[in-house]
Amino acid sequence: MTLALTLAYPAAVLSPPEPTAREREHSLVVAAQRGDTESFASLVRLHQRRAYAVARAIVLTHEDAEDAVQEGFLHAFRALDRFLPDQAFGAWLNRIVANAALDITRRKKVRDADTLADTIASPFRDPAESAELRRRLTVALSALNERQRAVIVLHDVEGFKHAEIGRLLGIPEGTARSDLHHARARLRQALSAVRSQL
Amino acid sequence: MKIERNTPAEPGDEEVTRVLRDVYASPSANASYWDTLESRIMTRIANAGESLEWWGVFDGWVRVGLAAAVLVGVMAGATLMRAREAQERLAYDAVMESASVIPVAGPVVARGPGRVGTRDATLRSLMSP
């Protein structure tokens, strides 16, 4: 009987299917909830890039983004027993990281546009790009309010949808759309002014 | 109120997005950067865990302290009650002992006005001018 089954079905069919990414993440979360630190480290490895991107969209500097990511993961680790493993871990984590980033922004309310223009620029920029365009854009970004800045970066740079941005920042989807519209208009204006001068 | 259902692309949006992506480029090209960040995150979590354990020791002591405080409270209450009972008993005994010395008033016998009334009248006549 066993031989007949083996002949009838190829080995690939008989062997258990490969777990999906979601299933692997689920098992990591469950193991981390049981106190397995190595599993939590795997979750950090899986999600830290996206978490950094979320934080970077909200705070002004690369250093603050790193702080927000570390804070976020620490909060997530402490609140892990309250997380339901059937939910999407990434979405839950990004919300926590976004809150940590918003806290940092609130603590560091810097309104000086010149200071922002210096600090907002990432240390990982392409040297071939026009320095003037970047400078003007960073000045224009600093003139936006923090929510508008976060919305446009999350949407245009990280590819989040309006509804996702709304959930991340705790604002209605319509507000995210409206913020994106106004932020784009401001930045377009800033760049077109540079174009006309160059 | 104007509701914006879409965010239509306008001329210049592509350039805004391109420059934004440049400014906000993540350090993804540098693989060792992410390894370092991961180890920093895990170190921070480990340190936080240690500090939690440090507090955890105090949590245990707090429980012991609370239990001891309850025990002391119960003992103090019992002692206080016992002292009170002893005090009441002493007061009762003192009252009972002194009660044997205090003369007990006997029954009042009503006397008729005969003899006493005569003596009073004699006294009044002697003292009057």
Side-chain angles (χ1 to χ4, degrees):
Chain A
M1 181 66 185
T2 314
L3 180 67
L5 268 176
T6 313
L7 289 172
Y9 296 96
V13 176
L14 287 174
S15 61
E18 285 285 309
T20 62
R22 186 72 187 266
E23 286 167 346
R24 274 198 299 274
E25 185 181 274
H26 181 274
S27 59
L28 285 173
V29 168
V30 170
Q33 284 179 325
R34 287 185 191 135
D36 182 7
T37 321
E38 198 50 51
S39 294
F40 193 79
S42 300
L43 288 170
V44 171
R45 222 167 294 139
L46 277 174
H47 291 283
Q48 62 179 348
R49 289 171 191 241
R50 195 64 157 165
Y52 172 87
V54 168
R56 185 70 185 89
I58 296 167
V59 299
L60 292 172
T61 65
H62 167 70
E63 290 74 21
D64 283 350
E66 284 187 335
D67 281 349
V69 170
Q70 290 180 46
E71 282 283 315
F73 273 110
L74 183 59
H75 288 321
F77 183 77
R78 283 176 173 165
L80 203 57
D81 55 338
R82 294 199 293 274
F83 174 71
L84 300 173
D86 293 334
Q87 294 176 337
F89 181 77
W92 179 72
L93 173 76
N94 287 340
R95 183 75 199 263
I96 293 174
V97 170
N99 281 336
L102 288 168
D103 280 347
I104 288 175
T105 312
R106 281 182 208 117
R107 283 204 298 267
K108 294 187 171 183
K109 278 266 183 196
V110 185
R111 288 289 176 199
D112 185 350
D114 292 334
T115 311
L116 287 177
D118 291 337
T119 58
I120 203 166
S122 164
F124 304 97
R125 55 183 148 190
D126 177 8
E129 187 57 58
S130 161
E132 183 59 18
L133 272 178
R134 271 203 307 269
R135 199 187 69 77
R136 288 297 181 102
L137 188 92
T138 50
V139 170
L141 275 168
S142 66
L144 299 176
N145 68 42
E146 62 198 37
R147 202 182 67 201
Q148 288 175 336
R149 193 170 57 238
V151 167
I152 194 168
V153 176
L154 286 170
H155 187 275
D156 284 10
V157 181
E158 301 304 329
F160 281 99
K161 293 183 173 65
H162 298 103
E164 292 172 323
I165 295 170
R167 281 196 293 274
L168 272 176
L169 302 179
I171 55 174
E173 186 182 337
T175 307
R177 283 181 192 278
S178 163
D179 280 348
L180 179 65
H181 177 76
H182 292 300
R184 269 195 186 152
R186 296 282 289 272
L187 298 187
R188 267 199 313 269
Q189 198 179 3
L191 291 192
S192 65
V194 178
R195 280 269 171 262
S196 62
Q197 287 169 12
L198 289 175
Chain B
M1 193 179 91
K2 185 185 171 189
I3 299 172
E4 290 164 339
R5 298 203 179 280
N6 293 307
T7 315
E10 291 193 29
D13 277 355
E14 280 183 21
E15 187 172 44
V16 167
T17 304
R18 187 174 56 79
V19 182
L20 268 176
R21 284 182 180 162
D22 175 52
V23 169
Y24 281 93
S26 78
S28 56
N30 190 354
S32 67
Y33 168 80
W34 296 110
D35 293 340
T36 311
L37 183 62
E38 181 199 324
S39 63
R40 279 163 63 192
I41 290 166
M42 293 312 293
T43 305
R44 190 153 175 192
I45 286 170
N47 290 342
E50 277 171 19
S51 72
L52 280 176
E53 281 167 17
W54 185 77
W55 280 110
V57 170
F58 276 89
D59 281 350
W61 281 111
V62 165
R63 272 186 222 114
V64 171
L66 275 174
V70 168
L71 195 68
V72 166
V74 168
M75 284 171 70
T79 311
L80 207 67
M81 277 181 68
R82 207 170 293 169
R84 209 175 194 178
E85 277 176 12
Q87 214 169 3
E88 279 174 0
R89 185 166 294 172
L90 274 175
Y92 178 79
D93 288 348
V95 168
M96 291 308 286
E97 280 169 19
S98 60
S100 58
V101 180
I102 296 170
V104 179
V108 178
V109 181
R111 290 174 183 161
R115 267 180 84 179
V116 177
T118 313
R119 192 171 58 192
D120 284 351
T122 309
L123 277 170
R124 273 200 295 272
S125 67
L126 284 173
M127 288 177 76
S128 59

